[in-house]
Amino acid sequence: MSARRPLPRWADVALLPVLNLVLALIVFSIFVLLIGQNPLQALAIMINGAFGYGEGVGFTLHFATSFVFTGLCVAVAAHAGLFNIGGEGQAYVASLGAIAVGFLMDHTVWWLVLPVAILASMAVGAAWAFIPGYLQAKRGSHVVITTIMFNFIASSLMAYLLVYVLKPVGVQEPSTANVVAAGKIPQLRQFFPWFGGAPLNMTIIFAILALIGVYILIWRTKFGYALRTLGHSPSASLYAGISNSRMIIIVMMISGALAGMVAVNEVLGVQSRIVIDVTAGYGFVGIAVALMGRNHPIGIALAAVLFGALYQGGLDLQFYMPAITRDMIVVIQALVIMFTGAMEGLLRPGLESAFMLYSPRQKADAVARETVGTES
Amino acid sequence: MSQPHSSSNAEQRPSKGGAVSDLAIELRGINKSFGPVRANRDIDLKVRRGTIHGIVGENGAGKSTLMSILYGFYTADSGEILVNGQPAHITDSRHALQLGIGMVHQHFMLVDNFSILENVILGAEDNALLASSLSKARKELKRLSDEYGLSVDPDAIVQDVSVGQQQRVEILKALYRGADTLILDEPTGVLTPEEADDLFRVLNVLRDQGKTVILITHKLREIMAITDFVSVMRQGQMVATMPTKDTSPEKLAELMVGRRVLLRVEKGSAHPGKPLLEVKNLVVADDLKVVRVKDVSFSVRAGEIVGIAGVAGNGQSELLESIAGMRDQLSGDVVLNGHVLSLEGDDGAHRARLAGLAHVPEDRQTEGLVVQFEEWENNILGYQHDPAYGRGLLDIAAARRQAEERMHKFDVRPANPRLKTANFSGGNQQKIVLAREMEQDPSVLIVGQPTRGVDIGAIEFIHNQIIKMRDAGKAILLVSVELDEIRSLSDRILVMFDGKIVGEADPATATEGELGLMMAGIGADGHAARSGAGAGPAHAVGGDQP
């Protein structure tokens, strides 16, 4: 009989993720030692690469922008009790919306293109997420299964479109034509040369707006209230007269719309066209970002910066420490995702016990609560 | 109902072997603390062999902790346990069984698709080959059945037999493992009055055969009817132990709560007006598409409480959910204030509320409340569309203010709307739901299991609130598996069996026996079904009598 007490909030949102991160770095250090390199030096290179100079910071924030969108995508669905794994596919397909606006409005000005492209990618992402949402709401097909499948469908569909439909004549690579004028979202380095060659662009403004917007949506609106009711207890939302099926469809569409914004950041912000796998796995990392950020916008912002730093620091590490190959970088990213995402509860029981030892009063409360609960 | 067994009967029985103590169980100075919370304080308890010993107390009084110590779930911080006069250190339930202590849990621990025989030997098989164990067990089961009057069909599959039979299997399981002392935790909660009487007969036989029974219950009537001795616990302490014949329900209730409690609901006569809620030929299926409500019709008038009696699982839940718009009806109509409600779709509950129906659901934990929410968030559950809570954006300040007012009005403690709902006690959670639904000033209130898992003190309050609603001219439909509650609150009783209304009774004149027969599906006048199913005020009888 072990009574458990939930961790204090600060430990839950800050201490535990930090410990998980440290654990991931320790395991990574072992790998680095095994290939005969100095892990501390590797770590120093990574941190410096992510935050030590303007271009590094620019890259970190650029990656973080995409992670904010996919993290919010997962978080909004999670608050409604839905596990949307389809952010990757939703973002990928949404790139069609972004590029369409880029082409159609290439002759106008960027500050018109940016909001319209955002709306268009949101719409396409939402439409792609609508299908699994509808199937869950009306047919009971589990959204986890369908969104995974829709990632494959998205990937194949985009490959087909890029190879057979969208590729300009005479180009070898499967990609669309380039936007050349207003369709290119301005880079922040044009205003702040400090960012060097980093692809950080205006889309980051929408990432910040999305963080604020999601906070208001979830905790300050009646819609968010209904959404959270559904997420905690579908039977209570039925009791409250909330249409669960309608909510599921709408929430999936909002979730898909958030993922869709990644497309603007990558397609119009970096590539100026759609290339194969333009979304580069951001959708999947978004799951870890949301988990680590506890589905809260502030947590997601921090987690997104962390993962951005990992991506960018990894690139620098690869460059300055040739013994550490591209594969090793993937290993560290995978370790962080594993420890902060999939195994985020690993240290929780130990930490809870530690807190109870530290504070017997809290232990008493916990035990009392549990015994009252079992009293019949 | 069985008569109270005189305690002298037990005293006359010769104790086996002379030297052996006549106490089956003795607890001396048991203490169990969870930090500063003292769940059990200096508990002394003597349970004589061959008696039925009742233990009563409110939720959280420490009964379960005490029994858990006896059954080996917890270890006491200090104190002694003596079994048959011998000190015992009970470390787990297996050990308890070796000492002859068996437990029948409130929720049965049976494998539904196994036969009764298989369930009895589960975990007590002799060896790897099942056949030899089964044939031996069959003989033993036969012997036990005959000896204690616990007849069961060993080859019946558990899910096919009645709840009463399943409980017998639980008792047989304990006896098969050699239990001399049986602990029964709230055993009658799921039984019809008939089945409860059967159980009491069995317990009497067990006692007469020298077994010891410890009965944990909150139903004082059962304590009075069946036990030889009764112990009362309050706030972790054993406040009294006495022969049952020397006490009364009122006295026990007072000991449990620590103040005088009104057990009888005091209400004036009803003055019914026009029908506000009419249910016409309603047919409803459950989630597995099994039809659970079969062509039910009735009406509830303004200013009356109509109670639906019945054993749990006879379609009452589906009926309530359907009227409240949570469950689609296959056919039939729900008419509120003369308007047919359109309830199809999964937001039917919203339309029912708009039409003036309030609903206190049977299960407050999963339906009536979101326990993870702060209290004020639950205060608007179901009424979140109300412009009083803002338009689009939630007016959190207004919602909190209103929540706090209602908490004071309904005496919810602690009156802090920012507290997580899961941290309130069952009674306070129920008051939160009641406050929300009653303060809407609905014309029809439907209430399911209003006092399930609620302390005696809060029960009194809740009952009074329901009566107050009635006297304010609301139509109230009450569903409860507590027959006492139905009888004391209702102005009219409808009995539901197998999805049909099989009878109607006047609470002032109907006896528990008559109701019990109807609840078991046998019509009072021999006509099984539909004898009271006709709708409309013309059929209503006895509504005006107190």
Side-chain angles (χ1 to χ4, degrees):
Chain A
M1 182 79 219
S2 70
R4 296 257 299 267
R5 178 186 190 280
L7 291 170
R9 194 156 164 74
W10 68 270
D12 188 44
V13 301
L15 183 60
L16 195 60
V18 168
L19 287 177
N20 282 328
L21 187 62
V22 169
L23 213 57
L25 292 177
I26 289 172
V27 177
F28 175 65
S29 300
I30 296 172
F31 281 110
V32 175
L33 279 173
L34 284 176
I35 57 171
Q37 301 291 316
N38 180 349
L40 289 178
Q41 196 191 345
L43 204 59
I45 292 173
M46 281 187 74
I47 294 172
N48 186 53
F51 300 111
Y53 59 102
E55 189 172 276
V57 173
F59 267 99
T60 297
L61 291 180
H62 168 74
F63 291 129
T65 302
S66 286
F67 292 144
V68 163
F69 293 135
T70 56
L72 289 176
C73 153
V74 175
V76 166
H79 278 291
L82 297 164
F83 197 0
N84 178 12
I85 302 187
E88 181 73 15
Q90 288 144 18
Y92 200 1
V93 174
S95 58
L96 291 173
I99 202 76
V101 171
F103 285 138
L104 290 173
M105 300 178 67
D106 212 9
H107 60 283
T108 61
V109 285
W110 70 267
W111 49 264
L112 268 179
V113 173
L114 180 56
V116 177
I118 289 276
L119 288 177
S121 354
M122 286 175 80
V124 179
W128 194 249
F130 165 81
I131 309 168
Y134 176 85
L135 291 174
Q136 166 87 70
K138 303 288 186 186
R139 294 287 179 270
S141 317
H142 204 289
V143 84
V144 168
I145 310 292
T146 46
T147 51
I148 291 175
M149 292 305 157
F150 266 71
N151 285 335
F152 288 105
I153 298 172
S155 175
S156 304
L157 174 73
M158 291 303 289
Y160 172 83
L161 288 177
L162 289 176
V163 173
Y164 293 105
V165 181
L166 299 173
K167 182 170 75 70
V169 182
V171 177
Q172 296 267 316
E173 193 191 1
S175 71
T176 64
N178 282 30
V179 290
V180 288
K184 297 173 83 132
I185 303 297
Q187 306 290 305
L188 290 194
R189 61 176 184 250
Q190 293 167 240
F191 310 96
F192 307 98
W194 184 64
F195 287 126
L200 178 63
N201 61 73
M202 291 293 191
T203 317
I204 195 172
I205 297 168
F206 284 86
I208 294 164
L209 290 178
L211 286 166
I212 299 168
V214 165
Y215 175 79
I216 293 172
L217 179 79
I218 302 275
W219 282 283
R220 288 287 180 265
T221 67
K222 293 188 167 187
F223 176 83
Y225 175 83
L227 185 154
R228 286 182 293 125
T229 304
L230 171 65
H232 285 304
S233 169
S235 51
S237 71
L238 187 67
Y239 165 81
I242 297 161
S243 170
N244 289 357
S245 55
R246 202 168 137 256
M247 281 302 291
I248 287 171
I249 294 173
I250 296 175
V251 170
M252 280 303 289
M253 289 178 73
I254 294 173
S255 180
L258 285 163
M261 287 196 259
V262 170
V264 178
N265 192 32
E266 297 299 326
V267 173
L268 300 184
V270 186
Q271 306 282 355
S272 302
R273 59 190 176 142
I274 305 179
V275 295
I276 287 283
D277 284 336
V278 69
T279 45
Y282 295 128
F284 296 117
V285 178
I287 297 169
V289 170
L291 263 167
M292 194 172 183
R294 295 287 182 279
N295 295 325
H296 192 284
I298 293 174
I300 287 170
L302 294 173
V305 170
L306 171 76
F307 276 92
L310 271 175
Y311 266 53
Q312 162 56 16
L315 290 176
D316 263 29
L317 184 58
Q318 201 179 328
F319 185 77
Y320 291 109
M321 233 184 201
I324 294 183
T325 61
R326 164 109 193 87
D327 299 325
M328 284 296 288
I329 306 301
V330 177
V331 166
I332 183 170
Q333 286 163 2
L335 282 171
V336 173
I337 291 176
M338 193 168 78
F339 277 100
T340 60
M343 304 202 303
E344 87 51 61
L346 185 70
L347 295 173
R348 188 180 291 275
L351 205 56
E352 280 172 356
S353 310
F355 267 89
M356 290 212 286
L357 278 179
Y358 176 70
S359 167
R361 214 199 111 57
Q362 291 173 344
K363 172 176 172 142
D365 292 348
V367 175
R369 197 167 40 246
E370 223 162 85
T371 37
V372 167
T374 55
E375 192 92 27
S376 53
Chain B
M1 185 93 329
S2 315
Q3 288 307 305
H5 217 280
S6 82
S7 57
S8 60
N9 197 351
E11 281 152 18
Q12 283 157 9
R13 205 183 334 285
S15 59
K16 290 172 196 163
V20 183
S21 158
D22 68 337
L23 295 179
I25 304 286
E26 183 176 3
L27 302 176
R28 285 185 192 159
I30 296 285
N31 274 295
K32 180 70 184 172
S33 293
F34 301 105
V37 180
R38 301 185 66 185
N40 283 164
R41 298 188 227 184
D42 294 322
I43 301 256
D44 294 320
L45 177 67
K46 292 178 180 173
V47 180
R48 288 172 193 240
R49 178 169 305 107
T51 63
I52 299 178
H53 196 118
I55 297 180
V56 292
E58 290 200 279
N59 291 334
K63 318 182 290 274
S64 292
T65 304
L66 190 66
M67 288 304 118
S68 299
I69 289 170
L70 185 55
Y71 198 56
F73 284 140
Y74 296 131
T75 324
D77 297 337
S78 66
E80 262 190 299
I81 303 174
L82 284 81
V83 179
N84 295 324
Q86 302 296 316
H89 293 280
I90 302 173
T91 50
D92 57 25
S93 57
R94 192 173 285 265
H95 189 185
L97 267 170
Q98 281 166 11
L99 291 168
I101 301 170
M103 184 134 176
V104 175
H105 295 272
Q106 190 174 8
H107 302 287
F108 303 150
M109 316 252 169
L110 298 172
V111 183
D112 276 352
N113 50 1
F114 275 17
S115 74
I116 287 179
L117 187 62
E118 286 168 327
N119 265 290
V120 168
I121 65 162
L122 190 68
E125 304 91 341
D126 288 338
N127 53 40
L129 288 176
L130 208 54
S132 68
S133 302
L134 280 173
S135 67
K136 240 177 76 185
R138 188 181 295 276
K139 280 186 208 127
E140 176 66 7
L141 194 62
K142 175 93 172 56
R143 189 185 68 75
L144 290 170
S145 299
D146 292 347
E147 192 172 344
Y148 299 108
L150 283 158
S151 58
V152 291
D153 171 9
D155 297 312
I157 304 298
V158 162
Q159 64 197 5
D160 299 336
V161 304
S162 69
V163 178
Q165 289 271 315
Q166 291 181 12
Q167 192 171 51
R168 290 184 165 196
V169 178
E170 283 283 3
I171 295 172
L172 281 167
K173 263 171 72 179
L175 293 174
Y176 182 79
R177 285 158 178 74
D180 284 320
T181 301
L182 271 176
I183 306 169
L184 288 99
D185 187 6
E186 298 283 358
T188 59
V190 288
L191 303 181
T192 65
E194 249 83 335
E195 287 173 322
D197 281 349
D198 268 352
L199 173 70
F200 294 158
R201 263 192 289 283
V202 168
L203 295 184
N204 273 323
V205 175
L206 284 169
R207 181 247 321 266
D208 292 341
Q209 300 281 341
K211 302 278 183 194
T212 309
V213 177
I214 299 177
L215 182 70
I216 302 170
T217 181
H218 68 278
K219 295 182 183 169
L220 299 177
R221 206 164 40 80
E222 293 174 359
I223 291 285
M224 298 310 296
I226 179 88
T227 62
D228 303 309
F229 293 92
V230 57
S231 296
V232 184
M233 291 188 73
R234 184 172 77 230
Q235 292 171 359
Q237 283 173 309
M238 192 62 83
V239 291
T241 294
M242 63 204 117
T244 308
K245 60 176 166 33
D246 297 345
T247 185
S248 67
E250 287 75 18
K251 204 169 149 199
L252 287 175
E254 198 179 325
L255 283 167
M256 280 166 68
V257 184
R259 64 180 168 85
R260 260 201 85 228
V261 181
L262 228 49
L263 286 182
R264 282 251 150 260
V265 179
E266 287 193 343
K267 57 170 181 159
S269 54
H271 304 286
K274 63 181 174 62
L276 290 183
L277 172 68
E278 291 166 274
V279 173
K280 295 178 177 169
N281 304 101
L282 200 63
V283 180
V284 185
D286 64 11
D287 294 338
L288 302 172
K289 313 241 182 281
V290 179
V291 175
R292 302 304 299 268
V293 177
K294 300 167 182 171
D295 196 20
V296 162
S297 301
F298 62 88
S299 69
V300 185
R301 292 167 295 173
E304 75 168 345
I305 301 175
V306 172
I308 295 194
V311 180
N314 274 289
Q316 306 97 309
S317 305
E318 287 78 9
L319 176 66
L320 269 195
E321 286 172 7
S322 170
I323 296 172
M326 294 171 67
R327 184 175 287 284
D328 285 355
Q329 52 225 36
L330 297 181
S331 65
D333 283 321
V334 176
V335 183
L336 209 82
N337 279 324
H339 301 288
V340 178
L341 287 183
S342 87
L343 296 174
E344 67 284 348
D346 54 1
D347 54 353
H350 175 55
R351 289 192 293 277
R353 279 195 183 85
L354 285 182
L357 182 130
H359 176 203
V360 176
E362 291 188 307
D363 190 338
R364 60 176 167 268
Q365 299 267 354
T366 65
E367 291 176 352
L369 297 167
V370 178
V371 292
Q372 296 94 337
F373 274 176
E374 289 178 11
E375 194 276 343
W376 68 269
E377 293 179 285
N378 275 309
N379 179 54
I380 67 174
L381 188 70
Y383 303 94
Q384 64 274 11
H385 300 285
D386 191 332
Y389 309 124
R391 297 178 184 277
L393 287 183
L394 263 182
D395 187 344
I396 294 175
R400 283 188 190 146
R401 214 177 312 119
Q402 189 199 49
E404 196 167 351
E405 282 164 20
R406 287 183 182 170
M407 292 177 95
H408 287 298
K409 191 164 174 188
F410 278 74
D411 193 28
V412 178
R413 293 176 210 186
N416 175 5
R418 298 295 310 274
L419 203 62
K420 220 173 108 181
T421 311
N423 294 341
F424 288 91
S425 73
N428 281 308
Q429 287 182 357
Q430 189 70 321
K431 285 183 189 172
I432 293 169
V433 177
L434 279 169
R436 180 183 69 211
E437 299 302 317
M438 289 179 169
E439 290 292 298
Q440 299 300 326
D441 195 30
S443 55
V444 175
L445 176 69
I446 62 176
V447 186
Q449 318 298 349
T451 55
R452 181 183 276 171
V454 168
D455 308 336
I456 287 197
I459 288 176
E460 197 183 354
F461 179 86
I462 289 169
H463 283 172
N464 286 336
Q465 291 296 325
I466 293 176
I467 306 256
K468 216 191 265 176
M469 288 294 280
R470 179 200 73 167
D471 293 342
K474 317 294 181 192
I476 297 174
L477 180 66
L478 168 74
V479 167
S480 173
V481 292
E482 302 278 351
L483 195 50
D484 286 346
E485 182 166 82
I486 293 277
R487 290 180 72 195
S488 57
L489 279 181
S490 309
D491 300 308
R492 221 152 38 96
I493 300 178
L494 303 175
V495 182
M496 205 164 170
F497 172 76
D498 190 28
K500 300 189 194 82
I501 304 258
V502 294
E504 173 165 344
D506 177 354
T509 57
T511 66
E512 186 171 299
E514 286 165 15
L515 289 170
L517 279 175
M518 286 197 270
M519 284 162 72
I522 306 151
D525 48 2
H527 299 288
R530 287 197 58 85
S531 61
H539 193 81
V541 288
D544 300 83
Q545 273 131 35

